Amino acid sequence: MTIGTRNLTDSFGRTITYLRLSITDRCNLRCFYCMPQADFNWMEPTEILRFEEIVQLIRVLASLGVKKVRFTGGEPLVRRDVVKLIRDVSSLPGVEETCLTTNGVLLSQMSKELFDAGLRHLNISLDTLRPERFQAITGRDHFRSVWRGIEEGLELGFSPVKINFVMMRGKNDDEIVDFARLTRKYPLDVRFIEFMPIGKHSKWGRNHFLSSDEALKRIAEELGSLSPVESEYGSGPAEMYVLSDGIGRIGFISPLSHRFCSRCNRLRITADGRLRLCLFSDLEVCVRDMFRQGVTDQELAEFFSDIILKKPARYLSHKKDVPTCDRQMSSIGG
Ligand code: SAM
Ligand code: SF4
Ligand code: SF4
């Protein structure tokens, strides 16, 4: 059935093919830079998008050209029946890639079911290989479960398996080379992400910031030169490299030091069903209310085709001299 006759091309000629959807604001970790320990107001269950709403949303977006869907959170694996959701979404016409961004704590318990549900693309967030430091960063003692989940994911055949490492000077930057070295032993994509000032309780500070250029230089000094790898269009903002003896790849995601807005192909929807046209813009449009009022697929398609024209050309640094936003990363989903 044809739902939308238009597609999602914005005013700057960028075609939107990628949706990042947060399916819960809850999490089983408390990363100090993402989720404040106290004073956290969880969303009410009724505020969160329901499964049938998510399926309608993705069915319509896929009819408009969205090919890739990433489930994120909070921690997406704590949402009940997430495996069923992944299975249902993976089988929707037009959805070519279903991906998951997870902290990996529940991965080893769930990896087989996730694989059987059709999931292949795994991003696991891991900022240290040291159990004590893991506890210090995340507030929980779960390093070993996460590492087991990564190894099992590779054994089961998930591909690609990506590790996301947020670089924080003075917190974990002494492990940058250790993470790069993992690509000699494992077929992993290890991606170094610049720490961003997201959320009004953000612990970001210039003193903790470390650029991709500095990380690349440190790795090359220790492990030898890195050769650039051509990345497919739409594969994301990471610049990819490989060590001369690497079986995995090394990537850098540089939202602060490099600009990839001209290639932006994504939309975000928060756990409470708010559309964000740009990560760093707090302009949000509530899609959830449309579902609760019985929106049809056709109406939803018209809505997205129109609203996409409001997507900004690039982040708007309206607050400081660095891009930022008020909403917590845990409810946007990264
Ligand atoms: N809980 C899941 C996880 O940690 O993978 C999914 C949600 S989490 C918000 C998504 C990603 O955002 C994680 O890789 C996390 O490290 C990253 N993130 C959170 N706050 C960040 C910040 N201030 N700067 C850069 N990355 C951040
Ligand atoms: Fe949870 Fe992910 Fe935020 Fe850490 S980064 S607190 S795992 S949502
Ligand atoms: Fe896209 Fe906004 Fe990120 Fe730029 S800052 S890449 S426009 S989401």
Side-chain angles (χ1 to χ4, degrees), residues 20 22 24 26-29 31 33-35 71-76 100-104 123-127 164-167 193-199 202-204 255 328-334:
R20 294 181 67 100
S22 172
T24 178
R26 301 194 181 232
C27 188
N28 44 7
L29 296 183
C31 303
Y33 54 81
C34 174
M35 206 174 264
F71 293 107
T72 173
E75 172 47 38
L100 180 75
T101 296
T102 172
N103 60 31
N123 283 17
I124 300 144
S125 306
L126 184 64
D127 300 330
N164 288 346
F165 175 99
V166 178
M167 302 183 286
I193 302 177
E194 287 178 349
F195 191 18
M196 296 182 273
I198 298 278
S202 173
K203 300 282 190 298
W204 190 86
Q328 290 298 123
M329 194 62 132
S330 54
S331 66
I332 304 174

mmCIF file of all heavy atoms in Angstrom, residues 20 22 24 26-29 31 33-35 71-76 100-104 123-127 164-167 193-199 202-204 255 328-334, ligand 1:
data_model
loop_
_atom_site.group_PDB
_atom_site.id
_atom_site.type_symbol
_atom_site.label_atom_id
_atom_site.label_comp_id
_atom_site.label_asym_id
_atom_site.label_seq_id
_atom_site.Cartn_x
_atom_site.Cartn_y
_atom_site.Cartn_z
ATOM 1 N N ARG A 20 16.168 7.705 14.697
ATOM 2 C CA ARG A 20 16.654 7.246 16.013
ATOM 3 C C ARG A 20 15.491 7.398 16.979
ATOM 4 O O ARG A 20 14.989 8.509 17.180
ATOM 5 C CB ARG A 20 17.821 8.122 16.497
ATOM 6 C CG ARG A 20 19.066 8.013 15.656
ATOM 7 C CD ARG A 20 20.155 8.893 16.237
ATOM 8 N NE ARG A 20 20.605 8.412 17.522
ATOM 9 C CZ ARG A 20 21.699 7.700 17.716
ATOM 10 N NH1 ARG A 20 22.486 7.396 16.706
ATOM 11 N NH2 ARG A 20 22.040 7.290 18.912
ATOM 12 N N SER A 22 13.962 6.706 20.741
ATOM 13 C CA SER A 22 14.160 6.316 22.139
ATOM 14 C C SER A 22 12.884 5.621 22.602
ATOM 15 O O SER A 22 11.791 6.167 22.440
ATOM 16 C CB SER A 22 14.438 7.568 22.982
ATOM 17 O OG SER A 22 14.445 7.222 24.338
ATOM 18 N N THR A 24 12.489 4.247 25.815
ATOM 19 C CA THR A 24 12.267 4.413 27.254
ATOM 20 C C THR A 24 13.257 5.446 27.768
ATOM 21 O O THR A 24 14.337 5.612 27.190
ATOM 22 C CB THR A 24 12.466 3.086 28.030
ATOM 23 O OG1 THR A 24 12.279 3.330 29.432
ATOM 24 C CG2 THR A 24 13.851 2.490 27.834
ATOM 25 N N ARG A 26 14.135 5.110 30.932
ATOM 26 C CA ARG A 26 14.706 4.404 32.106
ATOM 27 C C ARG A 26 16.008 3.713 31.755
ATOM 28 O O ARG A 26 16.241 3.379 30.593
ATOM 29 C CB ARG A 26 13.721 3.376 32.627
ATOM 30 C CG ARG A 26 12.453 4.093 33.015
ATOM 31 C CD ARG A 26 11.518 3.311 33.830
ATOM 32 N NE ARG A 26 10.383 4.183 34.056
ATOM 33 C CZ ARG A 26 9.867 4.446 35.247
ATOM 34 N NH1 ARG A 26 10.352 3.869 36.324
ATOM 35 N NH2 ARG A 26 8.857 5.270 35.369
ATOM 36 N N CYS A 27 16.806 3.468 32.783
ATOM 37 C CA CYS A 27 18.093 2.846 32.526
ATOM 38 C C CYS A 27 18.566 2.090 33.753
ATOM 39 O O CYS A 27 18.244 2.463 34.877
ATOM 40 C CB CYS A 27 19.111 3.921 32.149
ATOM 41 S SG CYS A 27 20.663 3.191 31.597
ATOM 42 N N ASN A 28 19.338 1.020 33.506
ATOM 43 C CA ASN A 28 19.911 0.241 34.604
ATOM 44 C C ASN A 28 21.332 0.699 34.940
ATOM 45 O O ASN A 28 21.996 0.068 35.750
ATOM 46 C CB ASN A 28 19.859 -1.260 34.275
ATOM 47 C CG ASN A 28 20.288 -1.547 32.841
ATOM 48 O OD1 ASN A 28 20.748 -0.653 32.136
ATOM 49 N ND2 ASN A 28 20.144 -2.782 32.418
ATOM 50 N N LEU A 29 21.818 1.767 34.309
ATOM 51 C CA LEU A 29 23.076 2.403 34.716
ATOM 52 C C LEU A 29 22.799 3.875 35.044
ATOM 53 O O LEU A 29 21.719 4.394 34.746
ATOM 54 C CB LEU A 29 24.124 2.313 33.606
ATOM 55 C CG LEU A 29 24.608 0.904 33.213
ATOM 56 C CD1 LEU A 29 25.700 1.001 32.152
ATOM 57 C CD2 LEU A 29 25.134 0.123 34.414
ATOM 58 N N CYS A 31 25.233 6.621 34.248
ATOM 59 C CA CYS A 31 26.457 7.276 33.777
ATOM 60 C C CYS A 31 26.438 8.737 34.233
ATOM 61 O O CYS A 31 25.434 9.431 34.009
ATOM 62 C CB CYS A 31 26.561 7.189 32.269
ATOM 63 S SG CYS A 31 26.509 5.481 31.690
ATOM 64 N N TYR A 33 27.600 11.392 33.282
ATOM 65 C CA TYR A 33 27.470 12.485 32.321
ATOM 66 C C TYR A 33 26.111 12.509 31.633
ATOM 67 O O TYR A 33 25.825 13.398 30.840
ATOM 68 C CB TYR A 33 28.582 12.388 31.251
ATOM 69 C CG TYR A 33 28.656 11.060 30.542
ATOM 70 C CD1 TYR A 33 27.797 10.760 29.502
ATOM 71 C CD2 TYR A 33 29.586 10.093 30.926
ATOM 72 C CE1 TYR A 33 27.865 9.539 28.852
ATOM 73 C CE2 TYR A 33 29.659 8.874 30.271
ATOM 74 C CZ TYR A 33 28.792 8.603 29.240
ATOM 75 O OH TYR A 33 28.859 7.395 28.599
ATOM 76 N N CYS A 34 25.302 11.495 31.911
ATOM 77 C CA CYS A 34 24.049 11.364 31.168
ATOM 78 C C CYS A 34 22.833 11.474 32.074
ATOM 79 O O CYS A 34 21.860 12.144 31.752
ATOM 80 C CB CYS A 34 24.038 10.025 30.438
ATOM 81 S SG CYS A 34 22.502 9.622 29.624
ATOM 82 N N MET A 35 22.885 10.793 33.208
ATOM 83 C CA MET A 35 21.693 10.683 34.037
ATOM 84 C C MET A 35 22.001 11.115 35.462
ATOM 85 O O MET A 35 22.804 10.468 36.139
ATOM 86 C CB MET A 35 21.256 9.212 34.035
ATOM 87 C CG MET A 35 19.797 9.041 34.278
ATOM 88 S SD MET A 35 19.328 7.321 34.082
ATOM 89 C CE MET A 35 18.740 7.281 32.409
ATOM 90 N N PHE A 71 16.934 1.705 17.678
ATOM 91 C CA PHE A 71 16.277 1.763 18.978
ATOM 92 C C PHE A 71 17.309 2.155 20.021
ATOM 93 O O PHE A 71 18.391 1.564 20.092
ATOM 94 C CB PHE A 71 15.656 0.410 19.337
ATOM 95 C CG PHE A 71 14.518 0.052 18.452
ATOM 96 C CD1 PHE A 71 14.634 -0.932 17.493
ATOM 97 C CD2 PHE A 71 13.314 0.736 18.554
ATOM 98 C CE1 PHE A 71 13.584 -1.251 16.655
ATOM 99 C CE2 PHE A 71 12.246 0.433 17.720
ATOM 100 C CZ PHE A 71 12.382 -0.562 16.767
ATOM 101 N N THR A 72 16.940 3.138 20.818
ATOM 102 C CA THR A 72 17.856 3.603 21.843
ATOM 103 C C THR A 72 17.029 3.961 23.079
ATOM 104 O O THR A 72 15.894 3.543 23.203
ATOM 105 C CB THR A 72 18.723 4.767 21.269
ATOM 106 O OG1 THR A 72 19.506 5.333 22.310
ATOM 107 C CG2 THR A 72 17.917 5.863 20.618
ATOM 108 N N GLY A 73 17.625 4.668 24.032
ATOM 109 C CA GLY A 73 16.886 4.975 25.252
ATOM 110 C C GLY A 73 17.503 6.189 25.930
ATOM 111 O O GLY A 73 18.166 6.986 25.249
ATOM 112 N N GLY A 74 17.417 6.229 27.204
ATOM 113 C CA GLY A 74 17.465 5.238 28.245
ATOM 114 C C GLY A 74 18.130 3.957 27.761
ATOM 115 O O GLY A 74 18.854 3.949 26.799
ATOM 116 N N GLU A 75 17.831 2.916 28.453
ATOM 117 C CA GLU A 75 18.378 1.629 28.029
ATOM 118 C C GLU A 75 17.259 0.834 27.347
ATOM 119 O O GLU A 75 16.329 0.380 28.021
ATOM 120 C CB GLU A 75 18.956 0.889 29.238
ATOM 121 C CG GLU A 75 19.389 -0.538 28.957
ATOM 122 C CD GLU A 75 20.233 -0.684 27.668
ATOM 123 O OE1 GLU A 75 21.058 0.179 27.371
ATOM 124 O OE2 GLU A 75 20.010 -1.681 26.954
ATOM 125 N N PRO A 76 17.345 0.663 26.029
ATOM 126 C CA PRO A 76 16.230 0.030 25.317
ATOM 127 C C PRO A 76 15.935 -1.387 25.775
ATOM 128 O O PRO A 76 14.781 -1.831 25.727
ATOM 129 C CB PRO A 76 16.672 0.059 23.852
ATOM 130 C CG PRO A 76 18.139 0.319 23.882
ATOM 131 C CD PRO A 76 18.425 1.081 25.128
ATOM 132 N N LEU A 100 20.424 -1.325 17.238
ATOM 133 C CA LEU A 100 20.194 -1.133 18.668
ATOM 134 C C LEU A 100 21.415 -0.458 19.286
ATOM 135 O O LEU A 100 22.547 -0.872 19.019
ATOM 136 C CB LEU A 100 19.985 -2.501 19.324
ATOM 137 C CG LEU A 100 19.738 -2.528 20.822
ATOM 138 C CD1 LEU A 100 18.307 -2.074 21.137
ATOM 139 C CD2 LEU A 100 19.944 -3.941 21.387
ATOM 140 N N THR A 101 21.170 0.571 20.095
ATOM 141 C CA THR A 101 22.246 1.145 20.904
ATOM 142 C C THR A 101 21.958 0.794 22.348
ATOM 143 O O THR A 101 20.908 1.144 22.875
ATOM 144 C CB THR A 101 22.330 2.680 20.737
ATOM 145 O OG1 THR A 101 22.666 2.972 19.395
ATOM 146 C CG2 THR A 101 23.403 3.272 21.637
ATOM 147 N N THR A 102 22.878 0.082 22.973
ATOM 148 C CA THR A 102 22.633 -0.448 24.311
ATOM 149 C C THR A 102 23.868 -0.282 25.181
ATOM 150 O O THR A 102 24.980 -0.203 24.663
ATOM 151 C CB THR A 102 22.253 -1.951 24.236
ATOM 152 O OG1 THR A 102 22.202 -2.490 25.559
ATOM 153 C CG2 THR A 102 23.237 -2.768 23.420
ATOM 154 N N ASN A 103 23.639 -0.259 26.485
ATOM 155 C CA ASN A 103 24.796 -0.255 27.397
ATOM 156 C C ASN A 103 25.340 -1.675 27.574
ATOM 157 O O ASN A 103 26.350 -1.874 28.239
ATOM 158 C CB ASN A 103 24.443 0.375 28.743
ATOM 159 C CG ASN A 103 23.322 -0.352 29.484
ATOM 160 O OD1 ASN A 103 23.153 -1.560 29.365
ATOM 161 N ND2 ASN A 103 22.566 0.398 30.274
ATOM 162 N N GLY A 104 24.656 -2.675 27.052
ATOM 163 C CA GLY A 104 25.174 -4.042 27.027
ATOM 164 C C GLY A 104 24.959 -4.845 28.296
ATOM 165 O O GLY A 104 25.253 -6.043 28.320
ATOM 166 N N ASN A 123 25.233 -1.546 18.614
ATOM 167 C CA ASN A 123 26.161 -0.544 19.139
ATOM 168 C C ASN A 123 26.163 -0.667 20.654
ATOM 169 O O ASN A 123 25.098 -0.587 21.277
ATOM 170 C CB ASN A 123 25.695 0.876 18.804
ATOM 171 C CG ASN A 123 25.961 1.250 17.370
ATOM 172 O OD1 ASN A 123 26.199 0.379 16.537
ATOM 173 N ND2 ASN A 123 25.899 2.530 17.079
ATOM 174 N N ILE A 124 27.322 -0.873 21.212
ATOM 175 C CA ILE A 124 27.411 -1.022 22.665
ATOM 176 C C ILE A 124 28.253 0.127 23.210
ATOM 177 O O ILE A 124 29.353 0.390 22.705
ATOM 178 C CB ILE A 124 28.035 -2.385 23.026
ATOM 179 C CG1 ILE A 124 27.154 -3.501 22.445
ATOM 180 C CG2 ILE A 124 28.167 -2.544 24.537
ATOM 181 C CD1 ILE A 124 27.899 -4.676 21.964
ATOM 182 N N SER A 125 27.724 0.783 24.217
ATOM 183 C CA SER A 125 28.442 1.916 24.789
ATOM 184 C C SER A 125 29.330 1.406 25.908
ATOM 185 O O SER A 125 28.848 0.730 26.823
ATOM 186 C CB SER A 125 27.451 2.941 25.346
ATOM 187 O OG SER A 125 26.545 3.283 24.332
ATOM 188 N N LEU A 126 30.607 1.712 25.823
ATOM 189 C CA LEU A 126 31.540 1.248 26.850
ATOM 190 C C LEU A 126 32.684 2.255 26.937
ATOM 191 O O LEU A 126 33.363 2.511 25.957
ATOM 192 C CB LEU A 126 32.072 -0.142 26.470
ATOM 193 C CG LEU A 126 32.992 -0.813 27.497
ATOM 194 C CD1 LEU A 126 32.244 -1.103 28.802
ATOM 195 C CD2 LEU A 126 33.564 -2.123 26.946
ATOM 196 N N ASP A 127 32.851 2.840 28.118
ATOM 197 C CA ASP A 127 33.819 3.921 28.266
ATOM 198 C C ASP A 127 35.083 3.502 28.998
ATOM 199 O O ASP A 127 35.952 4.343 29.247
ATOM 200 C CB ASP A 127 33.166 5.094 29.043
ATOM 201 C CG ASP A 127 31.950 5.651 28.331
ATOM 202 O OD1 ASP A 127 31.915 5.590 27.094
ATOM 203 O OD2 ASP A 127 31.028 6.142 29.017
ATOM 204 N N ASN A 164 30.948 2.170 21.345
ATOM 205 C CA ASN A 164 30.976 3.633 21.427
ATOM 206 C C ASN A 164 31.671 4.056 22.710
ATOM 207 O O ASN A 164 31.231 3.681 23.808
ATOM 208 C CB ASN A 164 29.546 4.196 21.445
ATOM 209 C CG ASN A 164 28.869 4.078 20.097
ATOM 210 O OD1 ASN A 164 29.519 3.820 19.084
ATOM 211 N ND2 ASN A 164 27.567 4.260 20.078
ATOM 212 N N PHE A 165 32.717 4.800 22.574
ATOM 213 C CA PHE A 165 33.539 5.234 23.721
ATOM 214 C C PHE A 165 33.495 6.762 23.770
ATOM 215 O O PHE A 165 33.942 7.425 22.827
ATOM 216 C CB PHE A 165 34.969 4.726 23.481
ATOM 217 C CG PHE A 165 36.004 5.167 24.485
ATOM 218 C CD1 PHE A 165 36.395 4.335 25.532
ATOM 219 C CD2 PHE A 165 36.641 6.404 24.370
ATOM 220 C CE1 PHE A 165 37.377 4.721 26.432
ATOM 221 C CE2 PHE A 165 37.628 6.790 25.267
ATOM 222 C CZ PHE A 165 37.996 5.948 26.302
ATOM 223 N N VAL A 166 32.930 7.312 24.835
ATOM 224 C CA VAL A 166 32.905 8.777 24.974
ATOM 225 C C VAL A 166 34.229 9.213 25.612
ATOM 226 O O VAL A 166 34.578 8.755 26.708
ATOM 227 C CB VAL A 166 31.715 9.243 25.848
ATOM 228 C CG1 VAL A 166 31.731 10.758 26.018
ATOM 229 C CG2 VAL A 166 30.394 8.797 25.244
ATOM 230 N N MET A 167 34.946 10.081 24.922
ATOM 231 C CA MET A 167 36.287 10.475 25.392
ATOM 232 C C MET A 167 36.172 11.609 26.415
ATOM 233 O O MET A 167 35.604 12.663 26.112
ATOM 234 C CB MET A 167 37.116 10.985 24.205
ATOM 235 C CG MET A 167 37.268 9.972 23.104
ATOM 236 S SD MET A 167 38.307 10.592 21.776
ATOM 237 C CE MET A 167 37.228 11.773 20.958
ATOM 238 N N ILE A 193 33.964 9.023 20.559
ATOM 239 C CA ILE A 193 32.962 10.088 20.429
ATOM 240 C C ILE A 193 33.372 11.279 21.292
ATOM 241 O O ILE A 193 33.729 11.112 22.468
ATOM 242 C CB ILE A 193 31.572 9.573 20.902
ATOM 243 C CG1 ILE A 193 31.189 8.343 20.073
ATOM 244 C CG2 ILE A 193 30.521 10.663 20.807
ATOM 245 C CD1 ILE A 193 29.884 7.714 20.479
ATOM 246 N N GLU A 194 33.330 12.449 20.699
ATOM 247 C CA GLU A 194 33.623 13.654 21.494
ATOM 248 C C GLU A 194 32.502 13.897 22.500
ATOM 249 O O GLU A 194 31.311 13.793 22.170
ATOM 250 C CB GLU A 194 33.763 14.865 20.564
ATOM 251 C CG GLU A 194 35.056 14.840 19.784
ATOM 252 C CD GLU A 194 35.207 16.009 18.821
ATOM 253 O OE1 GLU A 194 34.215 16.743 18.597
ATOM 254 O OE2 GLU A 194 36.311 16.191 18.295
ATOM 255 N N PHE A 195 32.910 14.193 23.695
ATOM 256 C CA PHE A 195 31.990 14.480 24.800
ATOM 257 C C PHE A 195 31.203 15.754 24.456
ATOM 258 O O PHE A 195 31.784 16.773 24.090
ATOM 259 C CB PHE A 195 32.852 14.687 26.056
ATOM 260 C CG PHE A 195 32.100 14.730 27.356
ATOM 261 C CD1 PHE A 195 30.811 14.240 27.490
ATOM 262 C CD2 PHE A 195 32.730 15.254 28.490
ATOM 263 C CE1 PHE A 195 30.152 14.275 28.716
ATOM 264 C CE2 PHE A 195 32.084 15.286 29.719
ATOM 265 C CZ PHE A 195 30.797 14.806 29.824
ATOM 266 N N MET A 196 29.873 15.659 24.573
ATOM 267 C CA MET A 196 29.028 16.797 24.181
ATOM 268 C C MET A 196 28.312 17.399 25.396
ATOM 269 O O MET A 196 27.914 16.665 26.294
ATOM 270 C CB MET A 196 27.952 16.325 23.194
ATOM 271 C CG MET A 196 28.476 15.812 21.894
ATOM 272 S SD MET A 196 27.109 15.359 20.809
ATOM 273 C CE MET A 196 26.789 13.675 21.299
ATOM 274 N N PRO A 197 28.089 18.690 25.387
ATOM 275 C CA PRO A 197 27.366 19.340 26.494
ATOM 276 C C PRO A 197 25.864 19.221 26.310
ATOM 277 O O PRO A 197 25.196 20.165 25.878
ATOM 278 C CB PRO A 197 27.834 20.790 26.399
ATOM 279 C CG PRO A 197 28.229 20.985 24.979
ATOM 280 C CD PRO A 197 28.591 19.655 24.404
ATOM 281 N N ILE A 198 25.318 18.061 26.626
ATOM 282 C CA ILE A 198 23.889 17.811 26.411
ATOM 283 C C ILE A 198 23.164 17.773 27.753
ATOM 284 O O ILE A 198 23.634 17.139 28.691
ATOM 285 C CB ILE A 198 23.686 16.443 25.731
ATOM 286 C CG1 ILE A 198 24.344 16.408 24.353
ATOM 287 C CG2 ILE A 198 22.228 16.063 25.643
ATOM 288 C CD1 ILE A 198 23.548 17.006 23.256
ATOM 289 N N GLY A 199 22.013 18.406 27.836
ATOM 290 C CA GLY A 199 21.177 18.304 29.031
ATOM 291 C C GLY A 199 21.485 19.410 30.027
ATOM 292 O O GLY A 199 22.628 19.815 30.210
ATOM 293 N N SER A 202 24.135 18.762 32.549
ATOM 294 C CA SER A 202 25.342 18.211 31.938
ATOM 295 C C SER A 202 26.585 18.439 32.795
ATOM 296 O O SER A 202 26.771 19.487 33.395
ATOM 297 C CB SER A 202 25.559 18.869 30.571
ATOM 298 O OG SER A 202 26.790 18.461 30.043
ATOM 299 N N LYS A 203 27.431 17.396 32.835
ATOM 300 C CA LYS A 203 28.703 17.499 33.570
ATOM 301 C C LYS A 203 29.825 17.892 32.603
ATOM 302 O O LYS A 203 30.985 17.784 32.918
ATOM 303 C CB LYS A 203 29.050 16.146 34.213
ATOM 304 C CG LYS A 203 28.020 15.624 35.200
ATOM 305 C CD LYS A 203 28.138 16.344 36.527
ATOM 306 C CE LYS A 203 27.305 15.703 37.623
ATOM 307 N NZ LYS A 203 25.872 15.687 37.373
ATOM 308 N N TRP A 204 29.426 18.304 31.414
ATOM 309 C CA TRP A 204 30.422 18.660 30.410
ATOM 310 C C TRP A 204 31.217 19.868 30.880
ATOM 311 O O TRP A 204 30.687 20.774 31.515
ATOM 312 C CB TRP A 204 29.720 19.012 29.091
ATOM 313 C CG TRP A 204 30.650 19.168 27.931
ATOM 314 C CD1 TRP A 204 31.106 18.188 27.118
ATOM 315 C CD2 TRP A 204 31.223 20.389 27.448
ATOM 316 N NE1 TRP A 204 31.929 18.707 26.149
ATOM 317 C CE2 TRP A 204 32.024 20.057 26.327
ATOM 318 C CE3 TRP A 204 31.155 21.731 27.836
ATOM 319 C CZ2 TRP A 204 32.728 21.016 25.604
ATOM 320 C CZ3 TRP A 204 31.870 22.670 27.117
ATOM 321 C CH2 TRP A 204 32.644 22.314 26.013
ATOM 322 N N PRO A 255 31.234 15.693 16.846
ATOM 323 C CA PRO A 255 30.174 16.694 16.733
ATOM 324 C C PRO A 255 30.659 18.102 17.075
ATOM 325 O O PRO A 255 30.077 19.075 16.611
ATOM 326 C CB PRO A 255 29.124 16.225 17.749
ATOM 327 C CG PRO A 255 29.851 15.317 18.678
ATOM 328 C CD PRO A 255 30.949 14.698 17.892
ATOM 329 N N GLN A 328 17.798 16.003 28.639
ATOM 330 C CA GLN A 328 18.798 14.992 28.993
ATOM 331 C C GLN A 328 19.034 14.037 27.834
ATOM 332 O O GLN A 328 18.084 13.639 27.165
ATOM 333 C CB GLN A 328 18.293 14.151 30.177
ATOM 334 C CG GLN A 328 18.233 14.862 31.494
ATOM 335 C CD GLN A 328 19.592 15.326 31.933
ATOM 336 O OE1 GLN A 328 19.792 16.513 32.162
ATOM 337 N NE2 GLN A 328 20.543 14.427 32.040
ATOM 338 N N MET A 329 20.263 13.589 27.672
ATOM 339 C CA MET A 329 20.598 12.620 26.629
ATOM 340 C C MET A 329 19.789 11.334 26.817
ATOM 341 O O MET A 329 19.423 10.668 25.850
ATOM 342 C CB MET A 329 22.091 12.323 26.698
ATOM 343 C CG MET A 329 22.629 11.610 25.513
ATOM 344 S SD MET A 329 22.450 12.562 24.012
ATOM 345 C CE MET A 329 24.096 12.410 23.338
ATOM 346 N N SER A 330 19.505 10.977 28.076
ATOM 347 C CA SER A 330 18.816 9.711 28.318
ATOM 348 C C SER A 330 17.399 9.706 27.754
ATOM 349 O O SER A 330 16.837 8.633 27.535
ATOM 350 C CB SER A 330 18.769 9.412 29.818
ATOM 351 O OG SER A 330 18.200 10.497 30.496
ATOM 352 N N SER A 331 16.800 10.863 27.539
ATOM 353 C CA SER A 331 15.463 10.812 26.929
ATOM 354 C C SER A 331 15.509 11.119 25.442
ATOM 355 O O SER A 331 14.531 10.898 24.732
ATOM 356 C CB SER A 331 14.481 11.738 27.652
ATOM 357 O OG SER A 331 14.842 13.066 27.494
ATOM 358 N N ILE A 332 16.652 11.611 24.958
ATOM 359 C CA ILE A 332 16.772 11.813 23.499
ATOM 360 C C ILE A 332 17.274 10.521 22.862
ATOM 361 O O ILE A 332 16.827 10.121 21.795
ATOM 362 C CB ILE A 332 17.764 12.944 23.157
ATOM 363 C CG1 ILE A 332 17.387 14.241 23.834
ATOM 364 C CG2 ILE A 332 17.835 13.137 21.643
ATOM 365 C CD1 ILE A 332 18.417 15.339 23.646
ATOM 366 N N GLY A 333 18.275 9.907 23.519
ATOM 367 C CA GLY A 333 18.772 8.627 23.011
ATOM 368 C C GLY A 333 20.104 8.701 22.305
ATOM 369 O O GLY A 333 20.535 7.736 21.698
ATOM 370 N N GLY A 334 20.763 9.840 22.345
ATOM 371 C CA GLY A 334 22.095 9.937 21.745
ATOM 372 C C GLY A 334 22.031 10.337 20.296
ATOM 373 O O GLY A 334 20.967 10.516 19.724
HETATM 374 N N1 SAM B 1 21.666 3.423 27.224
HETATM 375 C C1 SAM B 1 22.113 3.214 25.909
HETATM 376 C C2 SAM B 1 23.612 3.337 25.813
HETATM 377 O O1 SAM B 1 24.230 3.877 26.743
HETATM 378 O O2 SAM B 1 24.133 2.915 24.788
HETATM 379 C C3 SAM B 1 21.454 4.089 24.856
HETATM 380 C C4 SAM B 1 21.206 5.529 25.214
HETATM 381 S S1 SAM B 1 22.664 6.515 25.486
HETATM 382 C C5 SAM B 1 21.938 8.071 25.836
HETATM 383 C C6 SAM B 1 23.280 6.669 23.838
HETATM 384 C C7 SAM B 1 24.700 7.134 23.702
HETATM 385 O O3 SAM B 1 24.812 8.485 24.086
HETATM 386 C C8 SAM B 1 25.716 6.375 24.553
HETATM 387 O O4 SAM B 1 26.737 5.879 23.698
HETATM 388 C C9 SAM B 1 26.278 7.430 25.460
HETATM 389 O O5 SAM B 1 27.631 7.181 25.785
HETATM 390 C C10 SAM B 1 26.104 8.661 24.623
HETATM 391 N N2 SAM B 1 26.136 9.896 25.378
HETATM 392 C C11 SAM B 1 25.382 10.231 26.447
HETATM 393 N N3 SAM B 1 25.705 11.469 26.873
HETATM 394 C C12 SAM B 1 26.699 11.922 26.060
HETATM 395 C C13 SAM B 1 27.436 13.127 25.981
HETATM 396 N N4 SAM B 1 27.239 14.111 26.827
HETATM 397 N N5 SAM B 1 28.368 13.249 25.006
HETATM 398 C C14 SAM B 1 28.571 12.236 24.117
HETATM 399 N N6 SAM B 1 27.885 11.086 24.122
HETATM 400 C C15 SAM B 1 26.969 10.928 25.086
#
